[in-house]
Amino acid sequence: MPEEASRPFPTRTQASRQRRALYLIDSVRSFGTGLLTIVFVVDARDHGMTAADIGALSGASVVIGLLYTTLLSAIARRAGAKWALLLSGGLMVATGLWLALVQSPAGIWASALFGFLPPSGGLFVS
């Protein structure tokens, strides 16, 4: 068995590489979430939604995001963070594709309620 495989903790170099990768991944996810938020508002306005409609929808998506946070944290505790992050990422990709295809305010509501997640993927694992 190689010496690296038997170590319980990563070496300093491995930890540094992992930290850089984590920062890069988090940066890309945060950028994507911010961009989707802007695209969402522009798309909703272009489909005839008023500022009040967009505000209500944004507020509802925040509440749904809190519920997703709870759900994803439970999944992360049971199945591991990898599966929770895969689910979170998959929903975000599906939301982006859905927004590109949808042509109605009802479709925009569906995307906001099912696809907007916190940039962290909702992972508050203790």
Side-chain angles (χ1 to χ4, degrees), residues 1-43:
M1 178 189 281
E3 185 181 327
E4 270 186 32
S6 65
R7 290 186 183 166
F9 299 103
T11 65
R12 209 175 219 159
T13 304
Q14 290 169 329
S16 179
R17 243 184 272 135
Q18 290 171 351
R19 195 174 309 109
R20 282 193 306 268
L22 183 61
Y23 287 142
L24 176 64
I25 291 166
D26 188 47
S27 297
V28 170
R29 287 174 51 83
S30 294
F31 176 79
T33 300
L35 182 62
L36 184 59
T37 301
I38 293 167
V39 169
F40 162 73
V41 171
V42 171
D43 195 43

